[in-house]
């Protein structure tokens, strides 16, 4: 179970593709009294669940969450200790940062509070600019070096967009040389994208081609890192070829990710900030109440309706179905009959299968396949969501 906590929308960057762009000046933050209510009720809910469903992962997000006062982050962790630790519940914390402004005191705090770090850095494209319109590249590189000098582990996100899609191989080489795993996250577009976004939009076909270039690079020589979502496609391909155990995504029994807005409104991932995704408010309702509500049942119905498109796919159960069930609006493509199509995950899994079958190392992997060696298909690593 994953909670993406939008602690504050305030940010020191103005990335052209940011889906929070209109709120980046907003200094509002999650109220501590609301968080106290949430953690108290979450502990009660988790204690009623089977042991395997009790582990929670919190992703602290923004905006730039590390602009918040240290006292606020300490208070957040104190509430977790008060309610979750005291009940013997397991959880993790990660924070997603643009890494433009981070002091040694903040790094010390993250270590003290046991909060892991994910960064957002495109390497190419010059879209991550500050309020004055200045590129943040050099500052981020300097701060990455500080993290490495201090042996602080971190993973990364690069947003795939029109200004960097022709640089996916040097981006891969950059991260691979540094042994930093990262996620290639296609740009979030809108039904009616604003002018600042239009020049850097990419098609699904362009996205697939870019992902395939990185796959070929990983198969061509030993790779030091995991690249998401390629790792997810690789796992699905291996399960398919080796006849591994199928996993069917059912949010009603195992919710993947709750997106929690600054005001406490909680959404499903694919329909965040929309009426179809609104489940309730965790500052006023317990998770038990939310999951029993008509609003929550509607979000289940919406996602199950999308998932029906997976049933006829040859990779059904080997793929985690998230690319369809939890697809955001810009990831949904419909054919002439109105049927939702899988335009990225399905061709990428087939491409992975082809690469494995053509690779001696891939064939060796299949001969020694152990399904327990692959992590859960519903794992959400803390570099999933862009900041």
């Amino acid at each position: 179970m994953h909670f993406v906590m939008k602690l504050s929308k305030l940010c020191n960057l103005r990335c052209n593709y940011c889906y929070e762009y209109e709120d980046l000046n907003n200094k509002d933050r999650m109220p501590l009294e609301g968080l106290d209510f949430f953690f108290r009720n979450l502990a009660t809910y988790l204690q009623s669940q089977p042991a395997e469903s009790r582990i929670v992962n919190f992703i602290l997000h923004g905006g730039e969450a590390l602009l918040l006062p240290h006292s606020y982050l300490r208070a957040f962790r104190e509430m977790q200790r008060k309610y979750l630790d005291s009940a013997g519940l397991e959880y993790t914390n990660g924070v997603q940062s643009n890494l433009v402004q981070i002091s040694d005191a903040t790094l010390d705090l993250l270590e003290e509070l046991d909060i892991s770090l994910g960064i957002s850095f495109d390497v190419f494209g010059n879209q991550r600019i500050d309020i004055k319109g200045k590129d943040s590249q050099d500052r981020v590189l300097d701060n990455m070096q500080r993290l490495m000098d201090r042996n602080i582990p971190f993973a990364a996100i690069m947003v795939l967009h029109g200004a960097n899609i022709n640089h996916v191989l040097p981006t891969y080489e950059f991260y691979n040389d540094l042994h930093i795993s990262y996620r290639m996250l296609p740009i979030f577009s809108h039904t009616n994208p604003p002018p600042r976004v239009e020049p850097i939009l990419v098609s699904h076909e362009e996205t697939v081609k870019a992902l395939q270039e990185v796959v070929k690079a990983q198969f061509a020589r030993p790779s030091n890192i995991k690249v998401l979502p390629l790792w997810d496609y690789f796992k699905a391909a291996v399960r398919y070829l080796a006849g591994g155990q199928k996993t069917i995504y059912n949010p009603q029994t195992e919710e993947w990710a709750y997106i929690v807005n600054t005001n406490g409104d909680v959404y499903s991932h694919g329909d965040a900030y929309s009426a179809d995704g609104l489940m309730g408010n965790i500052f006023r309702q317990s998770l038990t109440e939310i999951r029993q509500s008509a609003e929550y049942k509607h979000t289940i119905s919406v996602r199950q309706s999308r998932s029906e498109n997976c049933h006829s796919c040859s990779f059904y159960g080997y793929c985690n179905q998230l690319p369809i069930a939890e697809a955001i609006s810009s990831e949904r493509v419909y054919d002439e009959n109105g049927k939702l199509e899988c335009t990225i995950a399905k061709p990428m899994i087939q491409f992975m299968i082809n690469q494995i079958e053509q690779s001696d190392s891939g064939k060796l992997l299949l001969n020694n396949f152990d399904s327990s060696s692959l992590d859960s298909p519903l794992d959400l690593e803390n570099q999933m969501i862009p900041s």
Side-chain angles (χ1 to χ4, degrees):
M1 185 186 306
H2 309 276
F3 286 91
V4 180
M5 309 292 289
K6 293 284 185 172
L7 297 181
S8 168
K9 302 295 180 71
L10 185 66
C11 191
N12 49 4
L13 289 189
R14 294 296 182 271
C15 306
N16 286 321
Y17 48 67
C18 182
Y19 59 85
E20 302 281 15
Y21 195 90
E22 304 304 325
D23 289 322
L24 298 180
N25 278 322
N26 192 338
K27 296 182 179 180
D28 291 347
R29 63 184 67 158
M30 284 188 174
L32 294 179
E33 60 271 21
L35 286 168
D36 187 272
F37 178 92
F38 165 60
F39 286 123
R40 181 173 70 249
N41 285 282
L42 179 62
T44 301
Y45 172 80
L46 292 174
Q47 288 174 303
S48 71
Q49 300 302 300
E52 64 272 13
S53 302
R54 292 181 183 177
I55 300 176
V56 181
N57 304 298
F58 297 98
I59 301 169
L60 314 186
H61 214 275
E64 173 55 39
L66 293 183
L67 292 179
L68 289 164
H70 289 185
S71 58
Y72 181 91
L73 296 177
R74 288 185 186 279
F76 184 94
R77 288 291 283 117
E78 281 302 314
M79 283 182 277
Q80 289 182 320
R81 295 187 183 105
K82 179 180 178 181
Y83 296 113
L84 303 182
D85 290 42
S86 63
L89 296 166
E90 294 183 54
Y91 62 93
T92 65
N93 286 300
V95 63
Q96 191 70 26
S97 173
N98 58 40
L99 209 66
V100 170
Q101 178 181 323
I102 188 165
S103 66
D104 286 329
T106 297
L107 294 178
D108 292 340
L109 181 73
L110 295 181
E111 291 186 300
E112 174 194 336
L113 300 182
D114 193 22
I115 300 175
S116 63
L117 181 62
I119 73 165
S120 301
F121 184 53
D122 296 344
V123 187
F124 294 93
N126 305 112
Q127 298 301 306
R128 302 185 67 80
I129 57 176
D130 64 20
I131 297 173
K132 297 179 180 179
K134 184 178 179 181
D135 188 77
S136 63
Q137 181 104 337
D138 290 342
R139 284 171 285 175
V140 176
L141 287 170
D142 288 343
N143 287 328
M144 286 177 67
Q145 186 61 56
R146 290 171 58 214
L147 295 179
M148 291 184 284
D149 290 343
R150 290 185 52 154
N151 294 314
I152 296 175
F154 62 98
I157 281 176
M158 62 82 66
V159 175
L160 186 66
H161 51 74
N164 68 6
I165 198 165
N166 293 324
H167 300 281
V168 290
L169 289 182
T171 299
Y172 166 70
E173 291 164 359
F174 171 84
Y175 281 119
N176 194 45
D177 288 346
L178 294 175
H179 293 237
I180 298 171
S181 294
Y182 72 104
R183 172 174 285 276
M184 300 173 67
L185 192 67
I187 182 174
F188 177 93
S189 60
H190 305 259
T191 305
N192 297 301
R196 61 183 165 80
V197 175
E198 287 181 346
I200 54 174
L201 292 178
V202 295
S203 68
H204 288 207
E205 293 78 11
E206 290 172 315
T207 297
V208 168
K209 182 180 178 181
L211 296 176
Q212 289 177 347
E213 288 299 306
V214 179
V215 171
K216 288 186 285 188
Q218 286 198 290
F219 271 89
R221 57 188 181 278
S223 181
N224 301 317
I225 59 175
K226 288 181 183 178
V227 182
L228 296 175
L230 305 184
W231 174 241
D232 292 328
Y233 303 146
F234 176 77
K235 290 187 294 183
V238 171
R239 289 191 184 97
Y240 173 80
L241 289 169
Q245 183 177 357
K246 289 190 175 185
T247 301
I248 309 302
Y249 175 54
N250 182 358
Q252 197 157 19
T253 57
E254 185 180 8
E255 188 68 61
W256 178 50
Y258 296 96
I259 310 299
V260 186
N261 206 0
T262 310
N263 66 356
D265 286 345
V266 59
Y267 298 88
S268 61
H269 173 266
D271 296 293
Y273 303 162
S274 77
D276 277 341
L278 180 62
M279 302 173 178
N281 187 289
I282 63 165
F283 297 161
R284 298 191 297 269
Q285 300 166 276
S286 70
L287 196 57
T288 299
E289 291 171 329
I290 288 173
R291 289 178 63 87
Q292 292 173 348
S293 69
E295 291 82 2
Y296 182 75
K297 292 174 183 176
H298 176 69
T299 73
I300 295 294
S301 175
V302 168
R303 289 176 285 170
Q304 287 179 336
S305 177
R306 286 202 290 263
S307 295
E308 289 176 3
N309 294 273
C310 297
H311 295 179
S312 60
C313 179
S314 57
F315 305 132
Y316 181 56
Y318 302 114
C319 167
N320 58 25
Q321 298 112 64
L322 298 179
I324 289 292
E326 298 289 356
I328 61 176
S329 59
S330 62
E331 295 170 334
R332 301 175 205 154
V333 175
Y334 298 87
D335 65 16
E336 63 275 8
N337 298 315
K339 182 179 179 181
L340 187 61
E341 296 184 302
C342 188
T343 57
I344 295 179
K346 187 174 182 178
M348 284 305 304
I349 293 170
Q350 184 60 60
F351 187 78
M352 281 288 188
I353 290 171
N354 296 341
Q355 294 296 307
I356 291 171
E357 291 179 330
Q358 296 167 14
S359 163
D360 291 338
S361 59
K363 294 173 184 175
L364 182 64
L365 171 75
L366 293 177
N367 292 336
N368 296 281
F369 174 72
D370 177 4
S371 61
S372 64
S373 67
L374 296 178
D375 50 26
S376 165
L378 297 184
D379 277 349
L380 175 72
E381 301 184 27
N382 70 6
Q383 71 270 29
M384 184 201 116
I385 312 277
S387 81

